[in-house]
Amino acid sequence: MPPNVLLICTDQQRFSALGAYGNDEIETPNLDRLAAQGVLFENCYVQSPVCAPSRASLMTGRYVHAHGLWANGVGLPDHERLFSKDLADAGYDCGLVGKFHLNACFGGRSEKRLDDGFRVFRWAHDPYPGSSENQYHRWLRTLRPDLAGAEGMTVDYDTLPTDLHYSRWIGNQTVDFLTHSRDRDKPFLFIANFFDPHHGFGAPDDYVRRYRDKQLSRPIPDDLASKPPIQTEASKASYAGHARGYTSYSPEELQEVKAAYYAMVTLVDDEVGRILDALDAQGLSDDTLVIFTSDHGEMLGDHQLMLKGPMMYEQAVRVPLILRWPAAIKPGMRCPELVQWIDLAPTILTAAGLQPRGQGQDLLPLATNRQTGRGWALSEYRNSGHPYDPPVHLTMLRRAQWKLVVQHATSRERTGELYDLTADPDEQQNLWDDPLHRDIRTDLQEFLLDVLVATEDRSQERIADW
């Protein structure tokens, strides 16, 4: 029988918010254990620094400019095929709990489903009041009717007690699938999509207390003078003015935010521990490919920026990625290759013995040192979420130690960023206008053009010569 696949995904977790990545401030013993039992990818980049475009790349294995879901609130075209559908057609029992975000779900909408292959679909975009189809609210209503979005009631869903929290619900539903709901005659794919550590910045008090009195590291400073002007705008007001900007936070508030952010990650870590224990109890661990990752990062005050958006710093586009599969991956591996979120779909399909699809590459040969990677990564931002006026369109290329970020000229001035991540890992020195780096910038821009052409969607069949 082909392996089971358990994909655990958080929302807005930067790569450094994990002990296994060298963060000694945060408590993530279960995820650290997972990393010790498999392979940790040190340089995984998402295809967009915002949710929906990135998640569409995960599920299709295609770049943003190829699959067409270019911004939050845009729907994935009906003709796009999801890897979950391939697995279902091959006999997998497929399930999902939590967020999906391949279509608009703002203002009480229920997210439109594609032909996704999921037999079990326990959708809840987030913990906040919204669609009547929000399965978390239905569950909460059975336990505490007074908290399930009653008319005129204000509830802080982020700080609910652990036993009522959205992250606990995700853990419960995943454990239920593993122990009771799956079809035991089939291999399974289950996707557990946590909402934490997404803002708002809150967690159950018993988790926040672990960090409240700690002296946590301060944000990476940056005067932004050499950076594109849009970053100064975002520093004053996030999300094109729809959320607080960095400049409105006091140093004490920034520490409270980091404490809550770390608390959310630790809560998720505890739920991951319960899920891994359920795998063990069911005798499934040896035959299950477990993947842990996140859809994008969080600035958390670094570079005088909060949240996400028109920025391509490591904190925004580099995410954790851990794979554990005892049958194929030796424990304790670390992979420094540049990998991308589009690589997960072909990795899963290949592990299942199916033909890979999309534009990514199978990560298992990298994880076992049998192959090297492509050597570059691409991320795109196209005026997403609350759109900026004038619009902002960014493309990032990471190649070797270099990171190039192009702000495309529309009604804004063309500008950009260039960093040597070996000499300047904190991305403090923007070399975009440095005459000594003009040749490397030109070379990277030309390479970026080649990448964009090479990754165009040319799937339409050519029938004849003319």
Side-chain angles (χ1 to χ4, degrees), residues 145-157:
D146 57 311
L147 294 177
E151 185 88 29
M153 175 169 286
T154 300
V155 177
D156 187 352
Y157 289 90

Side-chain angles (χ1 to χ4, degrees), residues 22 47-48 57 81 106 202 222 282 320 389 447:
Q47 270 42 80
S48 179
S57 289
R81 187 171 175 91
F106 178 73
D222 199 328
Q282 294 293 309
D389 184 19
F447 187 81

Side-chain angles (χ1 to χ4, degrees), residues 80-153:
E80 290 292 326
R81 187 171 175 91
L82 310 184
F83 78 80
S84 53
K85 175 61 174 172
D86 290 332
L87 291 179
D89 287 350
Y92 271 72
D93 184 30
C94 297
L96 175 142
V97 61
K99 184 171 180 175
F100 204 28
H101 210 180
L102 300 188
N103 266 289
C105 46
F106 178 73
R109 290 179 177 85
S110 295
E111 181 173 338
K112 174 187 173 183
R113 285 185 68 179
L114 287 79
D115 188 7
D116 52 41
F118 291 113
R119 177 183 66 83
V120 175
F121 192 75
R122 299 167 184 168
W123 175 83
H125 177 81
D126 58 41
Y128 313 116
S131 167
S132 60
E133 299 303 309
N134 187 312
Q135 297 291 320
Y136 169 67
H137 289 160
R138 293 185 176 187
W139 171 80
L140 194 58
R141 190 176 296 119
T142 65
L143 300 176
R144 289 283 300 275
D146 57 311
L147 294 177
E151 185 88 29
M153 175 169 286

Side-chain angles (χ1 to χ4, degrees), residues 6-13 31 51 55 97-100 124-127 165-174 190-198 264-265 267-275 292-295:
L6 174 61
L7 173 58
I8 304 171
C9 182
T10 58
D11 194 327
Q12 211 158 305
Q13 184 175 353
L31 289 168
C51 299
R55 289 169 179 267
V97 61
K99 184 171 180 175
F100 204 28
H125 177 81
D126 58 41
H165 199 274
Y166 182 97
S167 291
R168 170 56 56 88
W169 176 73
I170 295 289
N172 286 348
Q173 296 298 312
T174 306
F190 195 79
I191 301 178
N193 280 332
F194 289 87
F195 190 70
D196 279 351
H198 194 288
M264 287 188 276
V265 174
L267 171 56
V268 170
D269 183 83
D270 280 351
E271 295 307 312
V272 169
R274 295 177 59 227
I275 293 167
F292 176 82
T293 189
S294 192
D295 64 349

Side-chain angles (χ1 to χ4, degrees), residues 433-453:
D433 290 320
D434 182 1
L436 297 178
H437 291 83
R438 185 172 297 150
D439 288 346
I440 185 63
R441 172 184 148 188
T442 299
D443 178 59
L444 290 168
Q445 286 178 291
E446 290 179 351
F447 187 81
L448 175 59
L449 285 173
D450 290 339
V451 165
L452 292 173
V453 171

